[in-house]
Amino acid sequence: MHSDLFAAENMVQPANAPGMVLQNPKSIKYVVNGECYARQGSMIAFRGNLRFEKQGQGVGNFLKRAVTGEGLALMAVRGQGEAWFAQDAANCFIVDFAPGDTLSVNGRNVLCFDAGLTYDIKVVKGAGMTGGGLFNSVFSGRGKLGVICEGHPIVIPVSPQAPVFVDTDAVVGWSAQLHTSLHRSQSVGSMIRGGSGEAVQLKLEGDGFVIVRPSEAQPVKQTSG
């Protein structure tokens, strides 16, 4: 049988070591030897002896997620085998954490992560009761985090001399040490006349970076299966 479908870049290669690698720009392959975590419903294929179980978040994180609708709906993946994860054909990226690294990520952009990483759902300071950026998941520890982004991400440096303003519906994540606050870029008079559609942004100050997606579409609802 002959077809471009069977090109080398589409064929799964033998696993070299436990952990995650990019299968292609739209999916992550995870060789499990013990345990990892992934967003519920993101598994698209697996082989081997694996179990997929709904993961509790602890009382504090569960209450935050219940109140805000933000956070992570997770499953634990346990055993030995290979699993492939993807979400709505979004672009996939792997972030490798060293000791001391912290990253604040919107829950809608988390795909999978190593058991060596820890996370906490935290209030975005200064954001007030705005949309998608009120609560984020702050990751730390040592290991890898699989992140998804609708379209190609834009990574913008932030410095003390050059703060960055982002739309809360477009932000993916940022350096956790950055200071956040609410910024209003629209005058009262403009709002009375119908507004520009860009009334409020998240202001980030300090030394680090912010990641945004090229879209202000509403977040994709997380599945529970």
Side-chain angles (χ1 to χ4, degrees), residues 118-135:
T118 59
Y119 84 96
D120 187 22
I121 301 174
K122 293 189 176 181
V123 178
V124 178
K125 294 181 179 179
M129 293 304 294
T130 59
L134 177 59
F135 281 77

Side-chain angles (χ1 to χ4, degrees), residues 57-186:
Q57 303 186 69
V59 175
N61 283 347
F62 177 79
L63 290 176
K64 288 177 184 177
R65 181 168 177 262
V67 171
T68 66
E70 293 293 328
L72 292 170
L74 290 176
M75 59 183 178
V77 185
R78 299 186 174 100
Q80 287 77 40
E82 298 167 285
W84 286 264
F85 301 106
Q87 186 72 29
D88 298 322
N91 290 318
C92 296
F93 303 88
I94 295 176
V95 182
D96 195 351
F97 284 71
D101 289 343
T102 56
L103 182 66
S104 183
V105 187
N106 197 303
R108 69 191 175 203
N109 296 103
V110 172
L111 184 62
C112 56
F113 58 94
D114 291 340
L117 292 179
T118 59
Y119 84 96
D120 187 22
I121 301 174
K122 293 189 176 181
V123 178
V124 178
K125 294 181 179 179
M129 293 304 294
T130 59
L134 177 59
F135 281 77
N136 260 25
S137 299
V138 178
F139 282 85
S140 61
R142 188 159 192 170
K144 294 182 179 180
L145 167 68
V147 175
I148 56 175
C149 180
E150 297 170 334
H152 296 290
I154 304 166
V155 180
I156 308 172
V158 181
S159 70
Q161 297 77 29
V164 177
F165 306 86
V166 298
D167 189 298
T168 57
D169 288 332
V171 67
V172 172
W174 59 84
S175 306
Q177 71 271 17
L178 292 177
H179 173 74
T180 59
S181 60
L182 194 64
H183 176 75
R184 297 187 182 277
S185 59
Q186 183 170 286

Side-chain angles (χ1 to χ4, degrees), residues 186-195:
Q186 183 170 286
S187 67
V188 174
S190 177
M191 293 177 68
I192 293 174
R193 293 191 295 271

